[in-house]
Amino acid sequence: EDVSNELKHYKHHFKDKIVFCNCDDPTWSAFWRYFHLNFSELGLKKLISTHYDRENPTYKMEYTGGDDNNVETGIKTNLQGNGDFRNQECLELLDECDIVVTNEPFSLFRNYIEVLMNHSKKFLIIGNKNAITYKEFFPLLKDNKVWMGVNNVQCFLQPDGSIKKFGNIGWFT
């Protein structure tokens, strides 16, 4: 619900775009699910998802249309690395995309924003609202390069199916 409630405000930004969810396992990601189910309606060109595994190589999933209702449809390709957003193969996918939409690791928020800004990427990400006080991030808000999103995020679905609730999480774009 949180993903859908926020993304409905940006629908017109996705037409003919490649969306990259570079911190989202497509087997359970709400972002992958939203974009896959709404692929045709949004007029997406391509959807790409990668995810991180601390110990093992992982994969990317790409979808270019055809069966929007089957969220398991897509081309699965193994990555050489572990899917860290800073790895070269993930940076190459970042360069291919138009817009990044994801829930990045909060502990790496500063690094993550730096990567997005260095690659001049449009984005819509979830983060801790305390980030507005970070010396690296506040100037981006002040200079009108980054904006706060519309809604707050109330809870997260965990990979094990449990739900974790938060109070100070929001969207940045």
Side-chain angles (χ1 to χ4, degrees):
E1 289 177 9
D2 287 326
V3 171
S4 180
N5 286 338
E6 185 71 19
L7 294 180
K8 70 183 179 185
H9 298 283
Y10 307 93
K11 284 186 173 186
H12 64 281
H13 292 282
F14 295 114
K15 184 164 178 47
D16 297 322
K17 301 291 191 254
I18 298 173
V19 173
F20 186 24
C21 305
N22 63 345
C23 300
D24 292 277
D25 186 335
T27 62
W28 63 273
S29 166
F31 291 107
W32 175 266
R33 183 173 189 75
Y34 174 86
F35 284 115
H36 202 292
L37 292 172
N38 295 286
F39 190 89
S40 296
E41 178 185 340
L42 294 169
L44 292 178
K45 187 175 186 180
K46 185 192 282 189
L47 173 60
I48 306 169
S49 181
T50 59
H51 68 285
Y52 173 76
D53 185 308
R54 182 178 310 208
E55 299 173 7
N56 299 305
T58 185
Y59 63 91
K60 69 177 176 179
M61 189 77 128
E62 296 178 289
Y63 180 67
T64 56
D67 188 359
D68 295 356
N69 291 323
N70 182 355
V71 296
E72 295 180 13
T73 301
I75 298 171
K76 185 176 181 179
T77 307
N78 289 332
L79 295 174
Q80 294 178 358
N82 63 1
D84 188 305
F85 68 87
R86 299 163 292 193
N87 286 353
Q88 186 59 39
E89 62 190 332
C90 290
L91 292 174
E92 289 171 7
L93 291 169
L94 180 65
D95 288 335
E96 177 186 343
C97 83
D98 299 299
I99 302 172
V100 174
V101 184
T102 197
N103 173 22
E104 84 296 332
F106 291 179
S107 63
L108 297 174
F109 184 85
R110 290 175 173 98
N111 301 104
Y112 192 78
I113 289 294
E114 180 181 17
V115 168
L116 293 177
M117 300 309 285
N118 286 344
H119 288 260
S120 301
K121 289 300 159 183
K122 293 182 179 182
F123 59 87
L124 183 57
I125 61 172
I126 295 173
N128 189 310
K129 287 186 169 183
N130 292 332
I132 64 173
T133 66
Y134 298 168
K135 67 180 181 179
E136 306 88 352
F137 190 65
F138 180 76
L140 299 173
L141 290 164
K142 184 176 116 317
D143 296 339
N144 209 27
K145 294 180 181 176
V146 174
W147 305 276
M148 300 291 290
V150 177
N151 299 299
N152 290 324
V153 177
Q154 301 301 315
C155 59
F156 287 89
L157 178 63
Q158 303 293 309
D160 65 4
S162 65
I163 294 177
K164 188 168 187 170
K165 295 191 178 212
F166 290 93
N168 195 28
I169 306 300
W171 295 86
F172 297 103
T173 187

